[in-house]
Amino acid sequence: MKRIALFIVFIALISGLKLKADEGMWLPMYIERLNYTDMQKLGLQLTPEEIYSVNHSSLKDAIVGLSNSPNPEGYFCTAEIVSTQGLLFTNHHCGFDAVQKHSSVEHDYLADGFWAMSRAEELPNEGLTASIMIRMENVTDSIIPQLNDTMSTSERSEVAGKIIKRLKKANNEDGKYNVVIKSFFHGNEYYMFIYQVYKDVRLVGAPPSAIGKFGGDTDNWMWPRHTGDFTVFRIYTAPDGSPAEYAEENVPLKPKYYLPISLDGVEKDDFTMIWGFPGGTERTLTSSGVQYNLDNYYPPIIEGLGAKLDVWRTHMDEDKEVRIKYASSYAGIANGWKYFIGQAKGIRDLDVVGEKKAFEGQFTAWVNLDEERKDRYDSVLTTIDDIYKDRAPGVVPLIYASLAGIGGAGIVDYASEFNGLQALLQQQKEEKDKSKKAKKQEQIDKAVAGLKESAAKHFKNYDLATDEEVLAVMTQLYLDKLPANLHPEYLTKLIEKNDNDMYALSAYIFENSFMSDQNKVISFLDDPSLKVLDKDPAYQLMQGFMQKMMEAQANYKRHSNEMKKAERLWVEGIRKMQPDKTFYPDANSTMRFTYGTVQDYDPKDAIHYDYVTHLSGVMQKEDPENDEFIVPAKLKELYETKDYGPYANEDGRMVVCFLTNNDITGGNSGSPVINAKGELIGLAFDGNWEAMSSDIAFAPKLQRTIVVDARYVLFIIDKFAGAGNIVDELTIHKTLPQPVRSEIPEPVAPVLSE
Ligand code: ARG
């Protein structure tokens, strides 16, 4: 009896451990071998083939990487296909930039939302691309055997680079596909990803910011959350179904697969999986690396970004036009700024350094047990530690020089766009040969045409008064933070001339530079003169900053080659040390999935956080005085009349967001959260404050993914926006024996066997 009891306890322990398996951003091609049994235990009902198949359509065909590049190597967000007509769901903050670009004071889609009531009203977005993965392959064996330990890191990357180039060529099918090959586990493995890239992606619908960004920067990175963080796009193709640039004749994509949407909602412990393109994690960063970040990296970044945001905020609050122009840039920087603050705090609160040190102690003990190991790994950690020590003094000035100098005011950054033209004008001047001079002129004309185009883009989202103050504030920061030898000579002269008054200095630049005015830029470009450019104060200041930045860079000892080698060995070693552990590679903007369950958490002593939030919570947070917490009248009306249609929870309430313990990071934004039956139940959009160190160390007890419930998304589209045209395209499942509203279409073609 006793034995059996013990056995049961043992099994419970084992399965208990398994049930907590929420950490990991897994590679799709290994789902069957590494994860499937675990996933089944958690409740998954699909077969591995239904999820990832190269031969048949499968769930992975509905996962989309969003990028602003025609041949992306990475993705800023994830989206998912939800209809037979190429309809995409992603986050509001992922579509924010596109919505901003279409917005003006007259058509303020940021504030009012945007809904295309027909295909003809959908808005094209220049440059936005949607990538769908065809297949992936482990190409380690084509690369690693050609490398050896006697090669220097640069030799290694040269050899690897050549093979990668060849593999790309062999697999792109005459340019049909975008082939991406990346190193994994810090250079210990290589994988190839083959994508179809669609180039006509149109905006279909976005809620007003008062819903899509409800809670603003105050609630960002935090739970409890009440944000309807979603936006709707559509992929278009050429009439024959192939990817094509925007053209009127294009037609909606006929996808291989799309996700049905469930109205069943979630309960604690329900299975969830999330698919997408997590951007980057550094889970194997050493304790010395974490300490280096705490001491040298976060403080200047937080100060530099914060200083600029303060100025922007003041001007945005004063003027609606400025608010629209800077909305997207502000949101992006504010998001990063709060991320770094949270990460630094999380690392301290959770003693990540201590935890990593303990692990490194185990590693050292393991190494010392064996002579061969000693030979290979003995100096790995000390090498890494020494490199960080060496880097530390140089990195702070470099960060300030880049954030407050060249990356400070918009006008300085803009001036750097004229560097190419300057070089050409200079070369032309020095050229004696007539025909060569004429050739140069062709290049100059081309550069001028490019600059005319970029001028339109630059000034569209530019406010003079705002940037003039940014220049004053950031220049002051530059002077305060950097030693005199890094102050550009030209700047020192200007300071003297303006009696140490940064505002006067900035005013001088803005008055005398042609780069502060679009018309002046165009007249300059109509007849570009080297003399005028070289004398321009914004251009001179930029050049001064640039030169000093290069000096700062030279002082910053990178040791990137030695570091790469040490990190490769470090990761190799920790994998060898734990032969029974299943490892997942750090995120690197390649397709991954993570699985787990719906979970609540206890953020602090005596505080418990539930795993769902409701529309009532939106009303509780309402503050008409604070633009982050304004509640649209229509939403209040729907709340008061409880007009939720079929989207209400079982208890009659409207769920807004929920939590899972999946392992995600930036780039996963917009990712589908999928239930045990393969149905979409929400869109992942954030992480939580108590686990902001998660990109460096997973925190199982605290780390949660914040999800906007699919039912809230549909409720906003249908009831709030009245965009029934969008809802009509979706395949909506509801298994509970409750009357389903008649407007909801029958599933067109059941995508998955239920
Ligand atoms: N923290 C989220 C992420 O990085 C972005 C949320 C956007 N919301 C906001 N208020 N800025 O994915």
Side-chain angles (χ1 to χ4, degrees):
M1 270 303 277
K2 223 177 176 182
R3 266 201 163 165
I4 291 177
L6 262 181
F7 182 70
I8 290 172
V9 169
F10 178 71
I11 291 289
L13 265 178
I14 295 266
S15 54
L17 281 178
K18 286 257 190 252
L19 285 176
K20 275 201 223 117
D22 37 31
E23 174 175 0
M25 301 175 180
W26 303 98
L27 286 168
M29 65 183 280
Y30 295 135
I31 186 166
E32 181 155 16
R33 183 149 68 76
L34 299 184
N35 313 106
Y36 186 66
T37 317
D38 260 6
M39 294 170 87
Q40 258 186 322
K41 274 193 198 131
L42 291 174
L44 175 67
Q45 294 171 27
L46 304 179
T47 65
E49 272 281 297
E50 285 174 312
I51 299 175
Y52 179 84
S53 166
V54 176
N55 305 315
H56 312 282
S57 68
S58 60
L59 190 146
K60 77 120 180 41
D61 298 319
I63 313 303
V64 173
L66 296 177
S67 164
N68 289 311
S69 155
N71 288 304
E73 291 276 322
Y75 310 90
F76 66 81
C77 274
T78 304
E80 52 277 357
I81 305 175
V82 289
S83 87
T84 56
Q85 304 292 306
L87 202 68
L88 291 182
F89 280 178
T90 185
N91 285 154
H92 180 264
H93 75 265
C94 298
F96 200 69
D97 196 52
V99 176
Q100 188 275 335
K101 286 193 178 124
H102 291 298
S103 296
S104 60
V105 174
E106 298 77 50
H107 295 285
D108 189 354
Y109 300 137
L110 292 172
D112 306 334
F114 168 82
W115 303 99
M117 293 301 173
S118 69
R119 298 273 154 85
E121 286 174 23
E122 296 176 3
L123 298 173
N125 301 285
E126 204 192 323
L128 182 62
T129 62
S131 295
I132 301 180
M133 190 173 90
I134 307 288
R135 64 189 163 91
M136 63 174 293
E137 227 175 85
N138 184 348
V139 292
T140 309
D141 289 345
S142 308
I143 299 175
I144 294 284
Q146 312 302 321
L147 311 173
N148 64 58
D149 287 326
T150 59
M151 288 175 171
S152 70
T153 306
S154 43
E155 276 171 325
R156 279 179 77 98
S157 57
E158 204 187 307
V159 173
K162 275 195 190 136
I163 304 170
I164 286 173
K165 213 168 154 192
R166 209 183 57 224
L167 283 171
K168 281 189 176 190
K169 208 161 163 219
N171 286 282
N172 73 10
E173 298 195 14
D174 295 323
K176 186 172 163 202
Y177 296 130
N178 181 36
V179 180
V180 179
I181 299 175
K182 288 191 177 183
S183 117
F184 287 68
F185 295 109
H186 286 271
N188 285 292
E189 292 180 18
Y190 287 84
Y191 289 83
M192 172 168 74
F193 299 80
I194 306 209
Y195 298 99
Q196 183 86 261
V197 185
Y198 294 92
K199 297 182 173 121
D200 183 356
V201 183
R202 301 187 198 170
L203 179 65
V204 175
S209 293
I211 290 173
K213 204 178 182 238
F214 182 75
D217 295 321
T218 304
D219 276 9
N220 190 14
W221 297 113
M222 284 176 171
W223 183 261
R225 195 64 158 275
H226 297 83
T227 313
D229 199 342
F230 78 92
T231 286
V232 187
F233 287 94
R234 188 191 307 283
I235 301 179
Y236 281 78
T237 68
D240 68 358
S242 63
E245 298 284 344
Y246 169 80
E248 222 177 305
E249 54 164 32
N250 285 357
V251 298
L253 168 81
K254 296 255 166 302
K256 283 195 202 152
Y257 192 84
Y258 68 94
L259 294 173
I261 302 172
S262 167
L263 297 187
D264 292 348
V266 293
E267 272 173 44
K268 193 174 157 165
D269 297 326
D270 277 356
F271 173 84
T272 51
M273 67 178 168
I274 298 179
W275 284 70
F277 293 90
T281 53
E282 291 186 280
R283 296 259 165 89
T284 53
L285 195 66
T286 58
S287 61
S288 54
V290 180
Q291 193 63 50
Y292 168 88
N293 284 351
L294 280 178
D295 296 341
N296 309 290
Y297 187 69
Y298 304 125
I301 291 195
I302 292 166
E303 187 176 12
L305 298 181
K308 192 193 273 190
L309 287 172
D310 283 345
V311 180
W312 280 0
R313 180 88 229 147
T314 324
H315 289 262
M316 288 165 79
D317 282 347
E318 276 164 11
D319 185 336
K320 190 174 174 190
E321 199 181 325
V322 180
R323 183 154 72 220
I324 294 171
K325 283 179 168 175
Y326 282 73
S328 179
S329 307
Y330 184 94
I333 294 186
N335 185 48
W337 174 75
K338 196 168 176 183
Y339 167 81
F340 288 119
I341 292 174
Q343 193 171 65
K345 179 175 156 48
I347 286 171
R348 291 202 174 92
D349 289 354
L350 302 179
D351 188 24
V352 171
V353 173
E355 219 175 75
K356 297 230 174 210
K357 272 198 176 139
F359 179 71
E360 286 155 20
Q362 287 171 25
F363 178 76
T364 308
W366 173 80
V367 170
N368 286 335
L369 285 178
D370 181 292
E371 283 307 315
E372 229 173 88
R373 282 179 208 161
K374 267 203 210 162
D375 277 351
R376 196 157 173 84
Y377 305 117
D378 206 19
S379 61
V380 163
L381 280 171
T382 48
T383 304
I384 294 178
D385 297 357
D386 288 347
I387 293 176
Y388 280 120
K389 271 194 207 113
D390 231 35
R391 281 180 179 180
V395 69
V396 177
L398 184 58
I399 294 175
Y400 278 116
S402 71
L403 287 184
I406 215 84
I411 195 168
V412 176
D413 185 38
Y414 183 52
S416 68
E417 290 188 23
F418 289 77
N419 274 332
L421 178 64
Q422 199 271 356
L424 290 170
L425 291 170
Q426 184 74 40
Q427 288 159 13
Q428 194 190 41
K429 190 179 147 194
E430 284 159 17
E431 187 57 68
K432 297 263 147 47
D433 184 299
K434 265 211 169 142
S435 75
K436 281 192 188 152
K437 237 184 175 49
K439 257 247 146 71
K440 269 284 163 262
Q441 190 56 44
E442 277 171 31
Q443 286 175 287
I444 290 172
D445 292 345
K446 220 172 143 194
V448 163
L451 282 168
K452 280 191 175 167
E453 232 184 276
S454 82
K457 275 194 193 134
H458 169 73
F459 284 102
K460 182 173 181 286
N461 290 326
Y462 188 68
D463 180 68
L464 216 73
T466 306
D467 202 40
E468 192 174 315
E469 188 167 358
V470 171
L471 183 62
V473 169
M474 297 311 271
T475 307
Q476 187 63 59
L477 183 68
Y478 188 101
L479 293 168
D480 292 347
K481 294 296 170 180
L482 291 167
N485 66 324
L486 288 179
H487 298 178
E489 221 174 287
Y490 180 69
L491 178 61
T492 312
K493 259 201 260 169
L494 281 182
I495 292 169
E496 272 167 29
K497 220 164 141 178
N498 290 285
D499 294 331
N500 250 324
D501 178 348
M502 288 315 132
Y503 281 84
L505 181 151
S506 182
Y508 171 83
I509 300 225
F510 275 77
E511 258 162 50
N512 293 289
S513 168
F514 71 79
M515 297 188 190
S516 59
D517 181 327
Q518 189 168 0
N519 291 328
K520 287 186 191 160
V521 168
I522 298 300
S523 355
F524 167 80
L525 289 172
D526 283 339
D527 182 17
S529 135
L530 182 61
K531 225 183 188 168
V532 172
L533 186 53
D534 279 340
K535 277 226 136 106
D536 186 272
Y539 192 73
Q540 288 192 67
L541 183 63
M542 179 278 296
Q543 290 238 303
F545 279 142
M546 190 75 107
Q547 199 195 333
K548 291 301 169 188
M549 170 116 151
M550 259 134 67
E551 281 176 42
Q553 225 152 12
N555 289 337
Y556 167 65
K557 300 202 177 57
R558 254 175 214 290
H559 306 285
S560 40
N561 284 346
E562 296 105 288
M563 189 59 135
K564 267 192 197 148
K565 179 171 182 194
E567 283 175 341
R568 176 163 47 83
L569 286 174
W570 164 235
V571 172
E572 179 191 292
I574 55 183
R575 289 173 84 188
K576 281 216 176 114
M577 174 173 106
Q578 307 161 90
D580 296 331
K581 186 174 163 174
T582 316
F583 284 84
Y584 61 91
D586 263 321
N588 59 357
S589 214
T590 55
M591 191 191 276
R592 306 296 179 89
F593 68 96
T594 142
Y595 53 96
T597 49
V598 173
Q599 289 301 337
D600 46 14
Y601 73 110
D602 299 325
K604 280 204 172 101
D605 185 33
I607 303 178
H608 173 75
Y609 277 160
D610 199 0
Y611 61 91
V612 280
T613 58
H614 301 93
L615 195 52
S616 54
V618 174
M619 306 306 149
Q620 288 165 3
K621 280 182 179 172
E622 183 190 13
D623 178 359
E625 304 298 309
N626 179 346
D627 71 353
E628 294 185 319
F629 293 97
I630 289 167
V631 179
K634 178 81 197 276
L635 189 60
K636 267 198 263 188
E637 193 189 304
L638 292 166
Y639 171 70
E640 269 147 27
T641 55
K642 303 272 166 285
D643 186 3
Y644 301 151
Y647 310 115
N649 198 28
E650 261 184 315
D651 57 8
R653 302 177 73 189
M654 185 75 231
V655 171
V656 176
C657 296
F658 65 86
L659 288 179
T660 73
N661 63 0
N662 292 76
D663 187 2
I664 66 161
T665 187
N668 267 122
S669 285
S671 285
V673 181
I674 296 166
N675 68 11
K677 291 192 278 185
E679 301 157 330
L680 183 77
I681 51 172
L683 274 55
F685 72 95
D686 212 353
N688 60 324
W689 193 243
E690 298 79 11
M692 291 293 283
S693 48
S694 65
D695 285 347
I696 286 168
F698 188 85
K701 281 207 186 109
L702 289 172
Q703 189 164 328
R704 296 293 177 263
T705 289
I706 304 179
V707 184
V708 55
D709 194 300
R711 295 169 300 171
Y712 190 59
V713 171
L714 299 197
F715 162 73
I716 296 296
I717 295 176
D718 187 355
K719 290 288 180 175
F720 177 83
N725 53 319
I726 297 176
V727 180
D728 287 346
E729 271 188 60
L730 308 169
T731 297
I732 295 172
H733 293 173
K734 182 150 183 157
T735 54
L736 297 177
Q738 278 186 2
V740 175
R741 222 182 43 150
S742 58
E743 296 103 275
I744 290 183
E746 287 295 306
V748 199
V751 200
L752 299 162
S753 50
E754 276 175 282

